[in-house]
Amino acid sequence: MSLLTISFAVLLNVAVLVFVLGVARKIRSYARTPAPLKIPTTPAPVTAVGVGWRMAREVVFFESLFKSSKWTWAFGWMFHAALLLVVLRHVRYFQEPVWLPVVLIQPLGTYAGFAMVAGLGGLWARRWLVDRVRYISTPSDHLMLALLLAIGLTGLAMRFVAHTDIVAVKVFMLGLLRLDWQPLPSDPVLLVHLALVALLMLIFPISKLLHAPGLFFSPTRNQTDNAREQRHVSAWTNALDKRP
């Protein structure tokens, strides 16, 4: 087995481990963080069912972003919807046989790559062209967008410019899952693409991309507006009340 295969097998395994443990640790931290105030963004639902429906609209349609900025919403929703299709398309590399829904999504996933890159381009242009956004943008914001854009462009390059042996790639990926490492094609674009994906997984748990799971723990979204009907007491307040 070549050094290249061993290096990327180790890199990808470490990246997945860091990603899973890092995100799990952050979710645990979110779940344990006290929410001492009743602060749902009004108008807010007054029932748990209403909160669930509100969260669903926020996750699927980015409702609050739509109300705030139509252009940002358009590019942001385009990127996230396209990213979902691209990820679903890549599921085929980890399955044998491939599920029928994954097979059916393949044509959409292919061209969703263009929408993903276009959405990222719009979001990055916003950070340069809108004064108030440019003022609060940090180097990490630009680097994260550049990383995502590079992943999308290298993926499109493999599909439409520098083709790689996708059968060998699938054998390699299945080998990682089965702890039976198989040779990885040495195509430069493929290696860059995989290295960038690994880098993304490594930095995800310490980046602003954690807004993905963090949304579900936002008290402005997951609280009911029932402050008058029911007293809101945080867990840490109860602990303080029981002190000797």
Side-chain angles (χ1 to χ4, degrees):
M1 188 177 300
S2 68
L3 179 61
L4 177 67
T5 296
I6 296 174
S7 299
F8 270 86
V10 172
L11 173 62
L12 291 173
N13 276 293
V14 170
V16 170
L17 185 64
V18 170
F19 174 81
V20 173
L21 294 180
V23 172
R25 179 176 178 274
K26 200 63 180 180
I27 289 176
R28 181 172 178 269
S29 175
Y30 287 153
R32 299 180 64 182
T33 299
L37 301 176
K38 200 70 165 172
I39 53 172
T41 301
T42 56
V46 296
T47 65
V49 175
V51 169
W53 175 234
R54 182 188 202 181
M55 290 293 295
R57 297 197 310 270
E58 193 67 39
V59 171
V60 177
F61 300 111
F62 300 3
E63 182 181 46
S64 61
L65 182 59
F66 179 81
K67 295 177 180 179
S68 174
S69 171
K70 299 299 189 291
W71 278 108
T72 304
W73 173 85
F75 287 120
W77 194 88
M78 181 192 304
F79 162 64
H80 286 85
L83 177 62
L84 175 62
L85 290 174
V86 169
V87 170
L88 291 176
R89 182 176 185 272
H90 281 67
V91 171
R92 65 173 176 160
Y93 294 107
F94 303 93
Q95 293 181 328
E96 187 57 47
V98 181
W99 295 345
L100 179 60
V102 177
V103 174
L104 297 178
I105 208 71
Q106 294 303 306
L108 293 176
T110 297
Y111 294 100
F114 290 103
M116 173 181 162
V117 169
L120 285 169
L123 292 174
W124 202 1
R126 166 178 168 269
R127 291 202 173 269
W128 292 104
L129 300 177
V130 181
D131 291 340
R132 60 182 177 82
V133 179
R134 184 173 65 250
Y135 180 76
I136 63 174
S137 295
T138 63
S140 65
D141 295 322
H142 293 286
L143 291 173
M144 191 59 63
L145 286 168
L147 175 59
L148 291 168
L149 194 58
I151 291 174
L153 290 174
T154 52
L156 289 175
M158 282 189 293
R159 178 66 178 84
F160 296 100
V161 182
H163 300 287
T164 189
D165 186 349
I166 61 173
V167 175
V169 173
K170 180 168 182 174
V171 171
F172 172 77
M173 293 301 176
L174 289 175
L176 292 181
L177 292 178
R178 298 167 180 171
L179 301 179
D180 180 22
W181 295 353
Q182 299 297 320
L184 174 68
S186 58
D187 300 333
V189 180
L190 170 64
L191 299 180
V192 172
H193 185 71
L194 291 179
L196 293 174
V197 171
L199 176 60
L200 177 63
M201 288 192 290
L202 288 170
I203 65 177
F204 189 97
I206 56 173
S207 71
K208 291 182 179 179
L209 298 178
L210 280 169
H211 67 265
L215 171 65
F216 296 95
F217 298 93
S218 171
T220 60
R221 293 288 179 270
N222 64 18
Q223 290 184 347
T224 54
D225 188 12
N226 60 352
R228 293 180 179 274
E229 294 79 12
Q230 182 178 348
R231 185 187 178 197
H232 175 71
V233 180
S234 64
W236 65 268
T237 302
N238 286 330
L240 291 176
D241 291 342
K242 294 179 181 179
R243 289 184 305 176

